[in-house]
């Protein structure tokens, strides 16, 4: 492929992924409201369009038309920059998550990932560590005590859980012997999914992912009964919507990471034995990735509407005294496995 | 102009401008924000030099971890007296300018006037691929395994020290 073709294909992939992300995020909100209603034996939004299917559009128009209020004591520039950082981090992380194997079409081999870089997993970690700033700045620049407390809580929480997240990824990297997400998926061929091989690492990563995305039971940064809305108390209109979008985009990324690192990515076990034409096989595998993604997202929603919130000291205790030692244990377990079977 | 040159000028420019903004802003939180941007553009420069691991480590460690703690402290303490630091002690300003000028002249001399030896040029030509993560990992666990382990012990000692300081009384 010439450089021009590579650039063209990459741009096409970026456009497709960005629009798909925006679409999925808005329907994830709808999905969450319907699922929560179903779990709590209510109806949920069902008025706009058939079964409320147009609800996301109605919500977005409502938010666009609302007045944008900036508090008097706020630092105006930072107050505006914070939601932009949140959206930037949330949407650019997806660049390294592969959603399918190589697509062979008209003599072209297109890898189904925007950027196949050899430090992919570190790139994800770097961007999530930058995501802390959005919340910290939002909390500080609002000039409100609730926001500041929410922002500080969240940075403490995200830093604490980043550690067990990083160590759980360490186990995966030991197996894959690479930091490339594609190589990690390929190392889990057949039923050698990391969730089965290293269940402790899977659980610690899952819990840390919940904490990193500020989802219940770890949503202390915005705990409504204590902090009104936490870091986004003073945000309204589209700026609030930007934080909302970023939260759901982060959920999709967390789910994508869980699928890539622990659930075998796009792979369907033993599909190559069936001898299907390569295009069909590729499309089936992309479908498998989407199916796994939706399953994990449903799990996220299910947990949110089933478990109560932790207290702050419980949150820190779980992070440092349970999850961190468990993720270290997982690394030792993986090292022993590699010693025995290599 | 090659792409590398254009990118180096862009990232270098951002780096220099944000570095200036860090020391000229009065509000420490804004300074911290520009320092983060500065670290990010430095990471961009490392990427151009083919040192991906250092670039990412720069963002994870400096921008992601250390600066968050800095911000934490700044936000919690809200240092008002620091804003008037220079107007109270003007002699520190002169002292700072002299030291920075000496360092600046040293750097300019090293870059433009000093003649690098043949040996050095050969060595630096070899190090083009030294920044990839595979290369760094191999070097760390073969040639530099002793300093690597020593750094590990140092970190362990620091962790234990932090525990001792944080724990108020021993039972």
């Amino acid at each position: 492929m010439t450089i021009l073709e590579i650039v063209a294909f990459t741009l096409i992939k970026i456009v497709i992924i960005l629009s798909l992300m925006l679409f999925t995020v808005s329907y994830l909100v709808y999905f969450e409201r319907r699922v929560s209603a179903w779990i709590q034996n209510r109806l949920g939004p069902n008025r706009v369009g058939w079964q409320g299917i147009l609800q996301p559009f109605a919500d977005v128009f409502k938010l666009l038309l609302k007045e944008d209020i900036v508090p008097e004591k706020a630092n105006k520039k930072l107050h505006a920059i914070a939601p932009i950082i949140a959206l930037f981090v949330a949407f650019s992380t997806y660049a390294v998550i592969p959603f399918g194997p190589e697509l062979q079409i008209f003599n072209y081999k297109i890898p189904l990932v925007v950027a196949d870089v050899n430090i992919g997993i570190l790139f994800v970690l770097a961007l999530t560590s930058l995501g802390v700033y959005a919340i910290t700045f939002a909390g500080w620049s609002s000039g409100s005590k609730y926001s500041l407390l929410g922002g500080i809580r969240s940075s403490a929480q995200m830093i604490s859980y980043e550690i067990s997240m990083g160590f759980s990824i360490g186990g995966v990297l030991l197996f894959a012997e690479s930091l490339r997400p594609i190589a990690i998926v390929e190392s889990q061929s057949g039923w050698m999914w990391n969730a089965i091989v290293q269940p402790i690492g899977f659980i610690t990563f899952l819990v840390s992912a919940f904490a990193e995305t500020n989802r219940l039971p770890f949503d202390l940064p915005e705990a409504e009964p204590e902090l009104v809305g936490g870091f986004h108390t003073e945000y309204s209109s589209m700026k609030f919507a930007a934080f909302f979008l970023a939260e759901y985009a982060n959920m999709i990324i967390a789910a994508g990471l869980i699928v890539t690192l622990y659930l075998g990515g796009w792979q369907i076990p033993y599909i190559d034995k069936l001898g299907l034409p390569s295009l069909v096989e590729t499309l089936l595998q992309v479908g498998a990735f989407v199916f796994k993604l939706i399953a994990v997202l449903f799990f996220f929603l299910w947990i949110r509407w089933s478990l109560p919130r932790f207290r702050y000291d419980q949150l820190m205790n779980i992070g440092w005294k349970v999850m961190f030692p468990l993720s270290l244990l997982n690394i030792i377990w993986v090292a022993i496995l590699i010693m025995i079977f290599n | 102009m090659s792409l590398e040159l254009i990118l180096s000028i862009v990232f270098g420019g951002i780096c220099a401008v944000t570095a200036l903004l860090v020391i000229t802003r009065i509000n420490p939180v804004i300074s911290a924000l520009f320092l983060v941007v500065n670290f990010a553009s430095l990471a961009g420069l490392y990427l151009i030099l083919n040192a991906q691991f250092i670039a990412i480590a720069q963002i994870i460690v400096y921008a992601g971890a250390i600066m968050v703690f800095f911000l934490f402290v700044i936000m919690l303490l809200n240092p008002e007296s620091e804003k008037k630091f220079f107007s109270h002690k003007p002699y520190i300003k002169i002292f700072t300018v002299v030291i920075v000028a000496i360092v600046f002249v040293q750097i300019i001399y090293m870059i433009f006037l000093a003649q690098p030896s043949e040996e050095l040029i050969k060595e630096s030509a070899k190090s083009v691929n030294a920044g990839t993560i595979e290369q760094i990992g191999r070097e760390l666990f073969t040639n530099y395994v002793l300093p690597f382990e020593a750094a590990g012990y140092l970190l362990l000692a620091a962790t234990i020290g932090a525990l001792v300081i944080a724990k108020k009384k021993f039972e």
Side-chain angles (χ1 to χ4, degrees), chain A residues 150-312:
Chain A
I152 286 173
R153 266 189 182 186
S154 93
S155 31
Q157 172 181 334
M158 285 170 100
I159 292 169
S160 310
Y161 280 87
E162 242 166 43
I163 295 170
S164 56
M165 195 178 196
F167 275 110
S168 346
I169 291 178
V172 175
L173 299 182
L174 276 179
F175 256 120
E177 297 178 352
S178 173
L179 286 164
R180 278 174 63 226
I182 292 183
I184 290 171
V185 171
E186 278 164 358
S187 74
Q188 307 174 53
S189 56
W191 281 108
M192 288 288 285
W193 290 3
N194 280 326
I196 298 167
V197 181
Q198 34 181 320
I200 306 172
F202 178 56
I203 290 166
T204 51
F205 187 85
L206 201 64
V207 173
S208 319
F210 272 88
E212 289 284 307
T213 47
N214 294 333
R215 293 283 300 179
L216 260 163
F218 296 103
D219 72 334
L220 288 136
E222 44 187 295
E224 296 95 344
E226 306 156 29
L227 293 177
V228 188
F231 64 91
H232 59 55
T233 306
E234 303 294 347
Y235 279 87
S236 51
S237 178
M238 248 353 244
K239 283 184 198 155
F240 169 73
F243 276 119
F244 206 64
L245 276 182
E247 185 190 327
Y248 281 85
N250 278 331
M251 257 171 81
I252 298 178
I253 283 157
L257 268 180
I258 290 168
V259 171
T260 309
L261 295 174
Y262 289 97
L263 300 176
W266 68 76
Q267 301 201 57
I268 307 170
Y270 309 116
I271 194 180
D272 47 326
K273 299 273 186 338
L274 292 175
L276 293 165
S278 76
L279 189 66
V280 178
E281 196 181 311
T282 308
L283 289 179
L284 271 179
Q285 285 174 321
V286 173
F289 179 80
V290 173
F291 175 75
K292 287 176 190 174
L293 194 73
I294 291 173
V296 175
L297 283 174
F298 178 74
F299 183 69
F300 265 79
L301 305 184
W302 190 12
I303 292 283
R304 169 164 183 188
W305 296 98
S306 312
L307 290 182
R309 178 182 300 129
F310 286 120
R311 233 171 36 225
Y312 197 69

Side-chain angles (χ1 to χ4, degrees), chain B residues 37-56:
Chain B
V37 180
N38 188 19
F39 287 150
S41 54
L42 255 184
L45 283 177
Y46 289 140
L47 271 185
I48 296 167
L49 295 172
N50 212 3
Q52 302 130 342
F53 180 69
I54 298 175
I56 284 293

Side-chain angles (χ1 to χ4, degrees), chain A residues 54-83:
Chain A
L54 296 175
Q55 186 69 39
F57 295 97
D59 286 347
V60 168
F61 279 121
K62 187 193 82 176
L63 282 166
L64 273 174
L65 294 175
K66 278 203 166 183
E67 187 191 353
D68 182 27
I69 303 163
V70 182
E72 187 118 317
K73 279 196 173 173
N75 186 320
K76 305 263 174 335
K77 280 179 199 152
L78 267 184
H79 192 262
I81 289 173

